[in-house]
Amino acid sequence: MQPTTRIVIIGGGFAGTAIALRLEHTFRRDDSVEITLIDSENFFTFTPLLPEVPSGSIESKHIVFPLRALLKRTKVLQAEVKAIDLKQRTVTAAHCYACGEPYRAV
């Protein structure tokens, strides 16, 4: 059995979402790769169109996309990163302080 390779992406903006999509495509047939995206929100906002919302040209629902619907193979974790330990290769994240044990990606 092949060991699992874990890739953790911090941030679901343009760069984070784009790299998650690219990694999903690259590793689409490789079950030994686990992709996790951590972001404080569970949606992607297409910010270039943001000024169009208050002007009434488009509705806000047209520029917001749920990350879980967009990223089929990536585990999306709605949390805030609390610590990154490069030496131990770990990321610690929690949804809130009252949530108990934080998520640890190794």
XYZ file of all heavy atoms in Angstrom:
827
model
N 0.846 -1.184 0.000
C 0.000 0.000 0.000
C 0.886 1.241 0.000
O 1.823 1.356 0.774
C -0.904 -0.015 1.223
C -1.895 1.086 1.234
S -3.094 0.769 2.549
C -3.643 2.392 2.847
N 0.553 2.170 -0.858
C 1.329 3.406 -1.005
C 0.970 4.390 0.108
O -0.208 4.560 0.432
C 1.024 4.017 -2.370
C 1.949 5.114 -2.780
C 1.653 5.562 -4.209
O 0.665 5.173 -4.811
N 2.512 6.398 -4.743
N 1.978 5.065 0.723
C 1.670 6.031 1.782
C 0.901 7.228 1.224
O 1.047 7.591 0.063
C 3.046 6.448 2.309
C 4.004 6.109 1.226
C 3.412 4.968 0.458
N 0.073 7.835 2.078
C -0.729 8.982 1.675
C 0.116 10.247 1.655
O 0.832 10.536 2.601
C -1.914 9.171 2.643
O -2.698 7.983 2.624
C -2.774 10.344 2.244
N 0.020 10.986 0.574
C 0.648 12.296 0.467
C -0.425 13.321 0.763
O -1.464 13.347 0.102
C 1.222 12.535 -0.946
O 2.189 11.529 -1.221
C 1.838 13.909 -1.060
N -0.185 14.166 1.767
C -1.176 15.178 2.149
C -0.705 16.543 1.692
O 0.397 16.972 2.031
C -1.388 15.148 3.657
C -2.061 13.899 4.129
C -2.346 13.945 5.618
N -3.079 12.778 6.018
C -2.516 11.703 6.537
N -1.216 11.662 6.712
N -3.249 10.670 6.883
N -1.579 17.232 0.972
C -1.304 18.591 0.512
C -2.323 19.497 1.191
O -3.529 19.289 1.067
C -1.426 18.708 -1.019
C -0.439 17.754 -1.701
C -1.209 20.144 -1.464
C -0.630 17.629 -3.192
N -1.831 20.518 1.904
C -2.706 21.456 2.599
C -2.555 22.823 1.939
O -1.448 23.348 1.828
C -2.365 21.549 4.104
C -3.262 22.566 4.792
C -2.507 20.192 4.762
N -3.669 23.390 1.511
C -3.709 24.711 0.898
C -4.374 25.648 1.897
O -5.476 25.364 2.378
C -4.507 24.693 -0.425
C -3.897 23.666 -1.384
C -4.562 26.081 -1.047
C -4.808 23.298 -2.532
N -3.713 26.754 2.190
C -4.262 27.713 3.143
C -4.789 28.911 2.360
O -4.031 29.616 1.714
C -3.204 28.145 4.170
C -2.712 26.918 4.939
C -3.763 29.202 5.116
C -1.535 27.171 5.830
N -6.098 29.095 2.408
C -6.742 30.211 1.718
C -7.504 29.768 0.493
O -6.984 29.037 -0.348
N -8.746 30.200 0.401
C -9.611 29.826 -0.709
C -9.871 30.965 -1.668
O -10.927 31.026 -2.279
N -8.893 31.850 -1.818
C -9.014 32.939 -2.792
C -8.677 32.445 -4.186
O -8.751 31.245 -4.471
N -8.285 33.368 -5.056
C -7.973 32.996 -6.433
C -6.860 31.955 -6.495
O -6.983 30.943 -7.167
C -7.548 34.230 -7.244
C -8.699 35.035 -7.748
C -9.021 36.236 -7.156
C -9.458 34.605 -8.819
C -10.090 36.986 -7.616
C -10.527 35.341 -9.283
C -10.844 36.542 -8.680
N -5.752 32.202 -5.807
C -4.601 31.293 -5.874
C -4.923 29.938 -5.247
O -4.631 28.886 -5.837
C -3.390 31.919 -5.192
N -5.514 29.937 -4.057
C -5.822 28.686 -3.376
C -6.807 27.827 -4.143
O -6.629 26.617 -4.281
N -7.847 28.447 -4.662
C -8.852 27.713 -5.423
C -8.277 27.201 -6.739
O -8.520 26.055 -7.125
C -10.082 28.598 -5.686
O -10.590 29.063 -4.430
C -11.175 27.830 -6.400
N -7.487 28.029 -7.408
C -6.888 27.626 -8.684
C -5.928 26.452 -8.497
O -5.944 25.501 -9.280
C -6.166 28.799 -9.321
N -5.099 26.500 -7.453
C -4.160 25.398 -7.242
C -4.899 24.130 -6.824
O -4.520 23.031 -7.229
C -3.040 25.773 -6.251
C -1.881 24.772 -6.339
C -3.531 25.811 -4.833
C -1.144 24.774 -7.623
N -5.968 24.257 -6.051
C -6.756 23.075 -5.674
C -7.369 22.427 -6.921
O -7.330 21.199 -7.073
C -7.836 23.450 -4.670
N -7.911 23.233 -7.807
C -8.480 22.706 -9.051
C -7.407 22.021 -9.900
O -7.633 20.943 -10.459
C -9.155 23.820 -9.853
C -10.487 24.323 -9.304
C -10.892 25.620 -9.981
C -11.565 23.260 -9.469
N -6.229 22.637 -9.974
C -5.129 22.058 -10.764
C -4.663 20.739 -10.149
O -4.422 19.767 -10.858
C -3.976 23.057 -10.834
C -2.718 22.542 -11.519
C -2.959 22.213 -12.984
N -3.300 23.375 -13.731
C -2.531 23.929 -14.654
N -1.372 23.411 -14.933
N -2.936 25.001 -15.296
N -4.541 20.706 -8.814
C -4.124 19.473 -8.144
C -5.171 18.373 -8.297
O -4.829 17.202 -8.473
C -3.842 19.740 -6.668
C -2.579 20.551 -6.371
C -2.555 20.969 -4.909
C -1.332 19.773 -6.745
N -6.447 18.731 -8.235
C -7.509 17.752 -8.462
C -7.367 17.125 -9.842
O -7.528 15.920 -10.010
C -8.891 18.392 -8.332
C -9.337 18.621 -6.919
C -10.781 19.106 -6.839
O -11.419 19.341 -7.892
O -11.282 19.243 -5.717
N -7.081 17.952 -10.822
C -6.914 17.459 -12.191
C -5.661 16.590 -12.313
O -5.695 15.510 -12.902
C -6.850 18.638 -13.170
C -6.635 18.215 -14.586
N -7.619 17.610 -15.324
C -5.542 18.283 -15.386
C -7.144 17.334 -16.531
N -5.887 17.726 -16.584
N -4.562 17.063 -11.727
C -3.287 16.335 -11.809
C -3.360 14.975 -11.138
O -2.842 13.982 -11.655
C -2.160 17.172 -11.168
O -2.078 18.427 -11.856
C -0.826 16.464 -11.252
N -4.006 14.911 -9.975
C -4.057 13.674 -9.193
C -5.427 13.004 -9.236
O -5.794 12.282 -8.311
C -3.652 13.953 -7.743
C -2.250 14.462 -7.607
C -2.013 15.782 -7.234
C -1.174 13.644 -7.860
C -0.718 16.257 -7.116
C 0.126 14.107 -7.752
C 0.355 15.414 -7.374
N -6.182 13.235 -10.290
C -7.556 12.725 -10.361
C -7.651 11.205 -10.242
O -8.639 10.682 -9.759
C -8.255 13.213 -11.624
C -7.686 12.678 -12.916
C -8.382 13.310 -14.132
N -7.709 12.973 -15.358
C -6.692 13.662 -15.871
N -6.246 14.730 -15.253
N -6.124 13.288 -16.998
N -6.613 10.485 -10.639
C -6.645 9.021 -10.567
C -5.707 8.467 -9.500
O -5.499 7.266 -9.435
C -6.277 8.441 -11.927
C -7.324 8.709 -12.976
C -7.021 7.977 -14.265
N -8.114 8.107 -15.185
C -8.161 8.985 -16.170
N -7.167 9.821 -16.367
N -9.203 9.028 -16.972
N -5.148 9.332 -8.673
C -4.190 8.909 -7.654
C -4.828 9.043 -6.271
O -4.867 10.125 -5.695
C -2.924 9.763 -7.743
C -1.803 9.257 -6.868
O -2.045 8.375 -6.032
O -0.674 9.763 -7.025
N -5.316 7.943 -5.738
C -5.987 7.958 -4.438
C -5.026 8.135 -3.268
O -5.457 8.305 -2.135
C -6.786 6.666 -4.239
C -7.972 6.589 -5.182
O -8.473 7.661 -5.590
O -8.400 5.470 -5.513
N -3.728 8.086 -3.531
C -2.757 8.233 -2.445
C -2.483 9.702 -2.113
O -1.748 9.999 -1.182
C -1.444 7.541 -2.806
O -0.797 8.227 -3.866
N -3.091 10.625 -2.861
C -2.918 12.063 -2.612
C -4.197 12.614 -2.003
O -5.279 12.466 -2.561
C -2.561 12.827 -3.906
C -2.479 14.315 -3.650
C -1.256 12.309 -4.482
N -4.060 13.259 -0.852
C -5.181 13.864 -0.135
C -4.986 15.382 -0.162
O -3.964 15.886 0.292
C -5.184 13.356 1.295
C -6.281 13.911 2.162
C -6.156 13.387 3.588
O -6.332 12.176 3.788
O -5.859 14.198 4.486
N -5.974 16.096 -0.689
C -5.893 17.558 -0.800
C -6.880 18.176 0.183
O -8.059 17.816 0.211
C -6.232 18.023 -2.234
C -5.352 17.302 -3.258
C -6.077 19.530 -2.363
C -5.853 17.412 -4.682
N -6.393 19.122 0.991
C -7.234 19.831 1.956
C -7.051 21.330 1.749
O -5.929 21.809 1.633
C -6.854 19.472 3.409
O -6.976 18.066 3.582
C -7.738 20.187 4.408
N -8.145 22.057 1.678
C -8.121 23.513 1.586
C -8.720 24.076 2.872
O -9.817 23.678 3.261
C -8.908 23.995 0.370
C -8.841 25.493 0.118
C -8.693 25.773 -1.371
C -10.048 26.208 0.655
N -7.992 24.970 3.529
C -8.466 25.585 4.769
C -8.735 27.060 4.503
O -7.859 27.776 4.016
C -7.424 25.442 5.898
C -7.083 23.971 6.145
C -7.940 26.097 7.182
C -5.927 23.764 7.098
N -9.934 27.502 4.811
C -10.301 28.905 4.649
C -11.313 29.270 5.728
O -12.082 28.421 6.180
C -10.892 29.164 3.264
C -10.976 30.650 2.941
O -9.957 31.202 2.501
O -12.043 31.255 3.158
N -11.309 30.526 6.136
C -12.251 30.954 7.176
C -13.690 31.016 6.658
O -14.630 31.008 7.443
C -11.835 32.310 7.742
O -11.807 33.277 6.713
N -13.857 31.075 5.351
C -15.191 31.067 4.739
C -15.342 29.793 3.924
O -14.354 29.193 3.501
C -15.369 32.287 3.815
C -15.171 33.618 4.499
C -16.215 33.926 5.558
O -17.309 33.325 5.520
O -15.934 34.758 6.423
N -16.574 29.381 3.666
C -16.791 28.168 2.879
C -17.226 28.492 1.448
O -17.831 27.685 0.775
C -17.813 27.249 3.560
C -19.174 27.887 3.673
O -19.361 29.050 3.331
N -20.136 27.130 4.141
N -16.880 29.693 1.006
C -17.239 30.100 -0.346
C -16.113 30.915 -0.976
O -15.261 31.467 -0.291
C -18.542 30.903 -0.364
C -18.513 32.114 0.536
C -17.997 33.321 0.087
C -18.985 32.047 1.838
C -17.959 34.435 0.910
C -18.953 33.147 2.672
C -18.441 34.348 2.201
N -16.128 30.954 -2.303
C -15.189 31.748 -3.094
C -15.949 32.945 -3.638
O -17.043 32.793 -4.164
C -14.642 30.894 -4.248
C -13.847 31.666 -5.251
C -12.538 32.025 -4.995
C -14.408 32.039 -6.456
C -11.789 32.733 -5.920
C -13.680 32.754 -7.391
C -12.372 33.103 -7.121
N -15.386 34.133 -3.496
C -16.012 35.352 -4.019
C -15.212 35.850 -5.210
O -14.003 36.062 -5.118
C -16.055 36.459 -2.949
O -16.735 35.961 -1.802
C -16.776 37.695 -3.464
N -15.878 36.039 -6.336
C -15.223 36.575 -7.529
C -15.192 38.097 -7.390
O -16.101 38.813 -7.819
C -15.975 36.129 -8.789
C -15.225 36.422 -10.049
C -14.093 35.687 -10.375
C -15.640 37.426 -10.906
C -13.390 35.955 -11.537
C -14.946 37.702 -12.062
C -13.820 36.964 -12.387
N -14.146 38.595 -6.734
C -14.059 40.002 -6.346
C -14.031 41.005 -7.503
O -14.470 42.140 -7.302
C -12.841 40.246 -5.436
O -11.668 39.731 -6.065
C -13.046 39.583 -4.092
N -13.553 40.663 -8.710
C -13.604 41.680 -9.775
C -15.016 42.176 -10.090
O -15.188 43.303 -10.565
C -12.994 40.964 -10.981
C -12.072 39.966 -10.397
C -12.773 39.494 -9.143
N -16.013 41.345 -9.815
C -17.395 41.766 -10.082
C -18.090 42.364 -8.859
O -19.253 42.742 -8.936
C -18.214 40.583 -10.597
C -17.872 40.095 -12.002
C -18.724 38.902 -12.366
C -18.041 41.204 -13.027
N -17.389 42.474 -7.745
C -17.981 42.983 -6.514
C -18.599 44.381 -6.663
O -19.699 44.623 -6.152
C -16.943 42.963 -5.388
C -17.459 43.038 -3.964
C -18.465 41.948 -3.670
C -16.290 42.954 -2.993
N -17.968 45.332 -7.367
C -18.588 46.662 -7.521
C -19.925 46.651 -8.271
O -20.718 47.578 -8.138
C -17.547 47.458 -8.312
C -16.267 46.750 -8.095
C -16.622 45.307 -7.920
N -20.171 45.586 -9.031
C -21.418 45.504 -9.786
C -22.626 45.198 -8.892
O -23.758 45.484 -9.253
C -21.309 44.420 -10.865
C -20.136 44.592 -11.812
C -20.202 45.870 -12.606
O -21.309 46.276 -13.016
O -19.140 46.484 -12.806
N -22.381 44.630 -7.715
C -23.474 44.245 -6.822
C -24.211 45.472 -6.268
O -25.431 45.569 -6.399
C -22.982 43.306 -5.699
C -24.095 43.016 -4.706
C -22.437 42.017 -6.297
N -23.510 46.433 -5.629
C -24.250 47.586 -5.105
C -24.883 48.458 -6.197
O -25.867 49.150 -5.944
C -23.217 48.384 -4.320
C -21.905 47.770 -4.564
C -22.110 46.475 -5.261
N -24.329 48.389 -7.404
C -24.909 49.188 -8.489
C -26.193 48.558 -9.022
O -26.938 49.193 -9.762
C -23.904 49.345 -9.630
O -23.735 48.125 -10.321
N -26.430 47.298 -8.663
C -27.652 46.629 -9.095
C -27.521 45.915 -10.427
O -28.485 45.362 -10.933
N -26.315 45.908 -11.009
C -26.117 45.241 -12.297
C -26.262 43.727 -12.184
O -26.781 43.085 -13.094
C -24.734 45.562 -12.864
O -24.601 46.942 -13.071
N -25.755 43.172 -11.078
C -25.873 41.738 -10.825
C -26.200 41.522 -9.354
O -26.016 42.419 -8.532
C -24.584 40.963 -11.197
C -23.391 41.473 -10.398
C -24.314 41.009 -12.677
C -22.131 40.657 -10.595
N -26.662 40.329 -9.039
C -26.955 39.985 -7.651
C -25.731 39.347 -7.015
O -24.888 38.766 -7.705
C -28.124 39.002 -7.596
C -29.431 39.603 -8.067
C -30.562 38.590 -7.987
O -30.629 37.852 -6.985
O -31.361 38.539 -8.923
N -25.640 39.436 -5.694
C -24.485 38.884 -4.987
C -24.352 37.375 -5.189
O -23.244 36.838 -5.204
C -24.553 39.210 -3.496
O -25.735 38.696 -2.936
N -25.466 36.680 -5.410
C -25.397 35.234 -5.606
C -24.660 34.856 -6.893
O -24.230 33.722 -7.048
C -26.792 34.616 -5.602
C -27.659 35.009 -6.785
C -29.030 34.365 -6.689
C -29.886 34.765 -7.878
N -31.221 34.185 -7.780
N -24.479 35.817 -7.796
C -23.788 35.541 -9.051
C -22.270 35.630 -8.935
O -21.562 35.262 -9.877
C -24.284 36.485 -10.150
C -25.718 36.263 -10.486
N -26.659 37.249 -10.354
C -26.377 35.156 -10.896
C -27.842 36.771 -10.695
N -27.699 35.508 -11.022
N -21.740 36.112 -7.813
C -20.290 36.211 -7.660
C -19.757 35.354 -6.506
O -18.570 35.392 -6.207
C -19.828 37.673 -7.478
C -20.383 38.279 -6.200
C -20.189 38.512 -8.687
C -19.731 39.585 -5.806
N -20.622 34.594 -5.877
C -20.229 33.753 -4.756
C -20.467 32.290 -5.130
O -21.554 31.931 -5.585
C -21.034 34.119 -3.485
C -20.686 33.210 -2.336
C -20.797 35.571 -3.113
N -19.422 31.454 -4.939
C -19.507 30.037 -5.270
C -19.113 29.204 -4.062
O -18.048 29.434 -3.490
C -18.560 29.701 -6.437
C -18.766 30.563 -7.646
C -17.973 31.673 -7.854
C -19.763 30.276 -8.556
C -18.166 32.480 -8.959
C -19.956 31.075 -9.667
C -19.162 32.184 -9.871
N -19.919 28.227 -3.659
C -19.533 27.351 -2.543
C -18.281 26.550 -2.914
O -18.220 25.934 -3.976
C -20.725 26.425 -2.365
C -21.840 27.034 -3.136
C -21.228 27.893 -4.187
N -17.277 26.584 -2.052
C -16.028 25.870 -2.334
C -16.247 24.362 -2.451
O -15.637 23.710 -3.296
C -14.988 26.163 -1.242
C -14.366 27.553 -1.300
C -13.541 27.828 -0.049
C -13.514 27.706 -2.549
N -17.127 23.811 -1.627
C -17.353 22.362 -1.668
C -17.984 21.921 -2.991
O -17.745 20.809 -3.461
C -18.211 21.923 -0.488
C -17.448 21.958 0.820
C -18.321 21.544 2.005
N -17.590 21.645 3.247
C -17.497 22.751 3.987
N -18.111 23.857 3.590
N -16.809 22.756 5.104
N -18.786 22.769 -3.590
C -19.392 22.442 -4.878
C -18.385 22.609 -6.009
O -18.404 21.870 -6.990
C -20.609 23.330 -5.129
N -17.493 23.570 -5.868
C -16.481 23.841 -6.888
C -15.368 22.801 -6.870
O -14.889 22.370 -7.914
C -15.903 25.243 -6.647
C -14.952 25.827 -7.662
C -15.626 25.980 -9.013
C -14.454 27.179 -7.172
N -14.968 22.373 -5.675
C -13.855 21.432 -5.508
C -14.405 20.061 -5.127
O -14.760 19.821 -3.980
C -12.893 21.949 -4.438
C -12.331 23.346 -4.700
C -11.613 23.873 -3.471
C -11.411 23.327 -5.907
N -14.482 19.180 -6.076
C -15.121 17.869 -5.867
C -14.251 16.904 -5.071
O -14.754 16.107 -4.295
C -15.452 17.231 -7.224
C -16.314 18.089 -8.104
C -17.686 18.252 -7.537
C -18.551 19.027 -8.520
N -19.706 19.598 -7.913
N -12.931 16.955 -5.252
C -12.036 15.972 -4.641
C -11.299 16.521 -3.414
O -10.700 15.783 -2.653
C -11.017 15.517 -5.686
C -10.191 14.341 -5.294
C -9.229 13.985 -6.432
N -8.419 12.841 -6.136
C -7.330 12.866 -5.378
N -6.942 13.992 -4.840
N -6.631 11.774 -5.160
N -11.349 17.819 -3.237
C -10.635 18.483 -2.148
C -11.506 18.531 -0.900
O -12.684 18.870 -0.971
C -10.257 19.922 -2.567
O -9.440 19.859 -3.732
C -9.525 20.650 -1.474
N -10.897 18.212 0.245
C -11.588 18.354 1.522
C -11.515 19.831 1.900
O -10.431 20.387 2.064
C -10.915 17.497 2.590
C -11.527 17.630 3.950
C -10.783 16.788 4.967
C -11.355 16.985 6.344
N -10.592 16.237 7.354
N -12.655 20.484 2.017
C -12.711 21.902 2.365
C -13.005 22.010 3.856
O -14.009 21.488 4.343
C -13.782 22.655 1.547
C -13.865 24.106 1.973
C -13.472 22.549 0.058
N -12.120 22.682 4.555
C -12.254 22.846 5.998
C -12.457 24.327 6.300
O -11.590 25.146 6.010
C -10.999 22.324 6.697
C -10.977 22.377 8.206
C -12.036 21.446 8.788
C -9.607 21.982 8.720
N -13.618 24.669 6.845
C -13.892 26.050 7.226
C -13.308 26.262 8.609
O -13.886 25.836 9.618
C -15.382 26.352 7.215
C -15.665 27.813 7.486
C -17.147 28.137 7.489
O -17.980 27.291 7.205
N -17.468 29.367 7.809
N -12.144 26.893 8.656
C -11.437 27.092 9.915
C -10.417 28.200 9.747
O -10.134 28.640 8.636
C -10.746 25.807 10.336
N -9.881 28.624 10.866
C -8.835 29.635 10.883
C -7.523 28.952 11.270
O -7.478 28.197 12.247
C -9.184 30.718 11.902
C -8.241 31.885 11.887
C -8.681 32.967 12.848
O -9.898 33.240 12.916
O -7.808 33.520 13.534
N -6.480 29.206 10.513
C -5.190 28.610 10.813
C -4.629 29.265 12.065
O -4.537 30.481 12.162
C -4.216 28.767 9.625
C -2.818 28.301 9.992
C -4.735 28.002 8.421
N -4.265 28.435 13.025
C -3.729 28.911 14.307
C -2.214 28.814 14.356
O -1.553 29.630 14.996
C -4.322 28.110 15.474
C -5.834 28.164 15.551
C -6.323 29.560 15.781
C -7.835 29.581 15.899
N -8.367 30.930 15.934
N -1.637 27.806 13.700
C -0.188 27.626 13.739
C 0.276 26.806 12.541
O -0.444 25.935 12.054
C 0.218 26.924 15.028
N 1.477 27.123 12.090
C 2.143 26.357 11.046
C 3.530 26.014 11.575
O 4.289 26.904 11.949
C 2.273 27.164 9.733
C 0.897 27.571 9.223
C 3.033 26.360 8.683
C 0.939 28.538 8.057
N 3.837 24.742 11.612
C 5.151 24.287 12.063
C 5.850 23.648 10.867
O 5.574 22.506 10.507
C 5.006 23.283 13.209
C 6.340 22.899 13.834
O 7.386 23.076 13.171
O 6.324 22.418 14.975
N 6.748 24.414 10.231
C 7.424 23.926 9.039
C 8.362 22.763 9.357
O 8.506 21.846 8.553
C 8.198 25.058 8.364
C 7.336 26.198 7.818
C 8.216 27.312 7.261
C 6.379 25.699 6.757
N 8.989 22.797 10.511
C 9.915 21.736 10.885
C 9.187 20.399 11.054
O 9.641 19.370 10.574
C 10.658 22.113 12.170
C 11.813 21.225 12.485
C 12.606 21.772 13.657
C 13.829 20.912 13.893
N 14.643 21.443 14.971
N 8.057 20.423 11.742
C 7.259 19.207 11.961
C 6.306 18.932 10.801
O 5.646 17.896 10.773
C 6.459 19.327 13.261
C 7.304 19.427 14.505
C 8.059 18.150 14.771
O 7.536 17.062 14.579
N 9.298 18.281 15.199
N 6.185 19.895 9.896
C 5.294 19.806 8.727
C 3.841 19.605 9.146
O 3.135 18.721 8.678
C 5.759 18.705 7.788
C 7.152 18.960 7.230
C 7.612 17.818 6.394
N 6.696 17.619 5.272
C 7.059 17.605 4.002
N 8.300 17.775 3.679
N 6.170 17.405 3.059
N 3.390 20.486 10.065
C 2.010 20.412 10.538
C 1.333 21.768 10.425
O 1.980 22.809 10.503
C 1.921 19.947 12.013
O 2.611 20.871 12.834
C 2.494 18.557 12.194
N 0.022 21.739 10.251
C -0.820 22.931 10.246
C -1.903 22.695 11.285
O -2.556 21.647 11.278
C -1.457 23.172 8.859
C -2.399 24.368 8.905
C -0.397 23.374 7.793
N -2.096 23.662 12.182
C -3.142 23.563 13.193
C -4.200 24.616 12.881
O -3.875 25.789 12.697
C -2.569 23.794 14.605
O -1.521 22.854 14.818
C -3.631 23.610 15.661
N -5.458 24.185 12.808
C -6.556 25.097 12.489
C -7.761 24.754 13.356
O -7.934 23.611 13.767
C -6.931 24.979 11.016
N -8.578 25.762 13.648
C -9.800 25.560 14.433
C -10.888 26.482 13.909
O -10.609 27.591 13.458
C -9.540 25.821 15.907
N -12.115 25.999 13.979
C -13.256 26.810 13.539
C -13.485 27.963 14.511
O -13.753 29.082 14.104
C -14.506 25.942 13.414
C -15.710 26.688 12.954
N -15.818 27.210 11.686
C -16.849 27.035 13.592
C -16.975 27.836 11.573
N -17.620 27.742 12.714
N -13.373 27.671 15.800
C -13.529 28.691 16.827
C -12.833 28.205 18.095
O -12.463 27.041 18.208
C -14.991 29.005 17.093
S -15.925 27.620 17.771
N -12.659 29.074 19.050
C -11.981 28.693 20.282
C -12.785 27.715 21.132
O -12.233 26.943 21.884
C -11.641 29.936 21.106
C -10.527 30.737 20.487
C -10.788 31.932 19.838
C -9.217 30.282 20.538
C -9.766 32.661 19.254
C -8.186 31.004 19.966
C -8.459 32.195 19.324
O -7.448 32.908 18.752
N -14.096 27.718 20.975
C -14.951 26.841 21.779
C -15.181 25.475 21.127
O -15.878 24.644 21.669
C -16.297 27.527 22.013
N -14.575 25.242 19.981
C -14.843 24.018 19.217
C -14.111 22.785 19.730
O -14.312 21.711 19.204
C -14.479 24.226 17.751
S -15.585 25.381 16.932
N -13.266 22.925 20.699
C -12.561 21.743 21.217
C -11.252 21.522 20.508
O -10.551 22.465 20.149
N -10.938 20.278 20.242
C -9.656 19.890 19.645
C -9.518 20.446 18.225
O -10.379 20.245 17.380
C -9.538 18.366 19.612
C -8.193 17.872 19.154
C -7.055 18.226 20.084
O -7.295 18.390 21.292
O -5.920 18.353 19.603
N -8.426 21.184 17.954
C -8.235 21.746 16.621
C -7.848 20.673 15.608
O -7.376 19.598 15.969
C -7.106 22.743 16.810
C -6.366 22.260 17.997
C -7.366 21.563 18.869
N -8.069 20.977 14.344
C -7.677 20.113 13.238
C -6.155 20.197 13.083
O -5.591 21.275 13.125
C -8.369 20.580 11.958
C -7.844 19.931 10.708
C -8.282 18.671 10.343
C -6.923 20.570 9.897
C -7.814 18.063 9.195
C -6.454 19.973 8.744
C -6.896 18.724 8.403
O -6.434 18.123 7.268
N -5.499 19.070 12.926
C -4.053 19.049 12.696
C -3.785 18.264 11.428
O -4.105 17.089 11.342
C -3.324 18.404 13.863
C -3.379 19.205 15.116
C -2.435 18.665 16.181
N -2.751 19.144 17.495
C -2.451 20.353 17.947
N -1.828 21.182 17.167
N -2.776 20.721 19.163
N -3.230 18.939 10.450
C -2.822 18.284 9.201
C -1.345 17.980 9.289
O -0.552 18.862 9.606
C -3.104 19.195 8.018
N -0.984 16.740 9.070
C 0.422 16.343 9.143
C 0.886 15.978 7.747
O 0.236 15.324 7.013
C 0.591 15.138 10.087
C 2.038 14.719 10.151
C 0.068 15.459 11.456
